[in-house]
Amino acid sequence: LVGDTTKLSQDDLLANEIIEDVKRIQEPYKKANRKMHPEDTVVDVNGIKIAFLSFTYGTNGIPVSSQRDYSVNLISDDLILNQLALAKEQNPDLICVSMHWGIEYQNTQNKEQERLANLLFQNGTDIILGSHPHVLQPMEKRTITLDDGSTKDGFVIYSLGNFMSGQTKERTRNSIILNIELTKNGETDKTSIEKVTYTPIYMYKNTSKNKQKYLVMDIEKALNNYNSGNHIISSNTYSTLQTELTRIKNTIGENLD
């Protein structure tokens, strides 16, 4: 799970074309009403039903037509609660919410992100995947105590950073590939987050090329190869990867088992 992007259709037909394309390739797709609830999507992943929702702070200045307000979910407490209620009506095993939030180039979350994360967790969300800052922000796995006293797992990563990026600001070229392992108990039907691991990556730019100059590198694999005598990368790149790996570890921490 990776990425950081803001996109809004400029064409009324685009959203419908995407839906039809998804249907044609037979991806699991379910919605209650295209105009009102296109975000109500439940996907069956190896027997685990996951509902996906998404919300954004804004659209990078692109105006949203009142006739196409269904095309984007602007963050508001009321809308979040409404959409979570609709998602729960579909009886998913787990709810995953993508949040486009936070402050660009800040490698820690702010108070509003923490408040929204608490709101999401307390109202049915199990996994929160953040984006927008263009740099990594911390992740955590927590035990959520609900109003009825029951508990469940919750996971949030406040920002996944960039994946493919030509940005030059510090930390904008390192990121991770996130792996979340889920388990569903056959007797209780309860789904839990077993562990969360990640692969540190770096967007390498080959300045000697005019085309296809970017490469997403598995940092630890590249470092291990170099240490084994396979010097495909230069000593300068080796040093850069060491620095970026340290930055990733300091921000994200270790794998969550």
Side-chain angles (χ1 to χ4, degrees):
L1 300 160
V2 290
D4 190 309
T5 184
T6 307
K7 289 188 181 294
L8 181 66
S9 169
Q10 297 292 322
D11 189 334
D12 285 333
L13 297 178
L14 181 57
N16 288 338
E17 289 174 357
I18 291 173
I19 289 172
E20 295 307 319
D21 285 342
V22 169
K23 284 182 177 180
R24 278 193 290 271
I25 62 175
Q26 296 183 332
E27 284 288 338
Y29 185 84
K30 180 178 181 180
K31 64 187 187 309
N33 180 296
R34 181 176 302 177
K35 290 187 176 181
M36 295 301 294
H37 311 302
E39 63 284 352
D40 288 350
T41 305
V42 175
V43 178
D44 189 308
V45 181
N46 295 328
I48 298 176
K49 291 173 57 180
I50 304 176
F52 290 93
L53 299 173
S54 61
F55 303 90
T56 179
Y57 78 93
T59 57
N60 282 357
I62 302 173
V64 181
S65 166
S66 60
Q67 296 179 336
R68 292 190 294 114
D69 57 359
Y70 61 85
S71 64
V72 61
N73 285 338
L74 296 177
I75 292 174
S76 78
D77 289 10
D78 288 344
L79 180 61
I80 287 172
L81 295 177
N82 175 266
Q83 292 301 312
L84 285 174
L86 289 171
K88 285 187 281 189
E89 287 178 1
Q90 299 178 38
N91 297 312
D93 297 306
L94 183 144
I95 298 176
C96 179
V97 178
S98 296
M99 294 294 288
H100 191 248
W101 59 2
I103 305 300
E104 289 185 337
Y105 313 117
Q106 299 298 307
N107 64 329
T108 56
Q109 71 275 15
N110 60 28
K111 295 296 184 183
E112 178 64 4
Q113 285 170 277
E114 292 177 350
R115 185 192 72 80
L116 287 167
N118 290 334
L119 177 72
L120 288 162
F121 281 137
Q122 291 299 323
N123 289 279
T125 301
D126 302 278
I127 295 174
I128 303 170
L129 304 175
S131 64
H132 174 63
H134 297 288
V135 295
L136 288 170
Q137 291 183 347
M139 69 178 186
E140 64 173 299
K141 181 182 174 184
R142 62 171 82 166
T143 299
I144 311 299
T145 302
L146 303 175
D147 292 339
D148 62 4
S150 62
T151 61
K152 68 170 187 173
D153 292 333
F155 171 79
V156 56
I157 181 165
Y158 287 100
S159 175
L160 282 162
N162 289 327
F163 182 61
M164 300 286 288
S165 171
Q167 288 186 301
T168 57
K169 285 182 178 287
E170 189 174 274
R171 301 174 183 269
T172 57
R173 289 193 183 177
N174 72 46
S175 188
I176 62 172
I177 297 174
L178 188 66
N179 308 290
I180 303 176
E181 183 176 311
L182 307 173
T183 299
K184 183 175 180 179
N185 188 306
E187 295 181 357
T188 66
D189 279 340
K190 183 177 181 180
T191 301
S192 59
I193 301 170
E194 288 299 305
K195 63 180 178 179
V196 180
T197 61
Y198 64 88
T199 302
I201 58 173
Y202 178 72
M203 173 57 67
Y204 172 75
K205 180 180 180 180
N206 188 337
T207 56
S208 66
K209 291 185 176 182
N210 292 324
K211 295 182 179 180
Q212 297 181 337
K213 62 179 65 177
Y214 291 102
L215 173 67
V216 177
M217 300 183 72
D218 179 328
I219 295 178
E220 293 178 322
K221 182 177 180 180
L223 292 177
N224 289 337
N225 285 341
Y226 188 93
N227 291 333
S228 298
N230 186 356
H231 294 174
I232 295 178
I233 61 176
S234 68
S235 59
N236 286 338
T237 299
Y238 178 84
S239 179
T240 296
L241 294 180
Q242 285 184 310
T243 298
E244 297 300 334
L245 181 59
T246 298
R247 287 173 171 169
I248 291 171
K249 296 285 188 180
N250 287 342
T251 299
I252 298 297
E254 298 300 325
N255 294 326
L256 304 176
D257 296 324

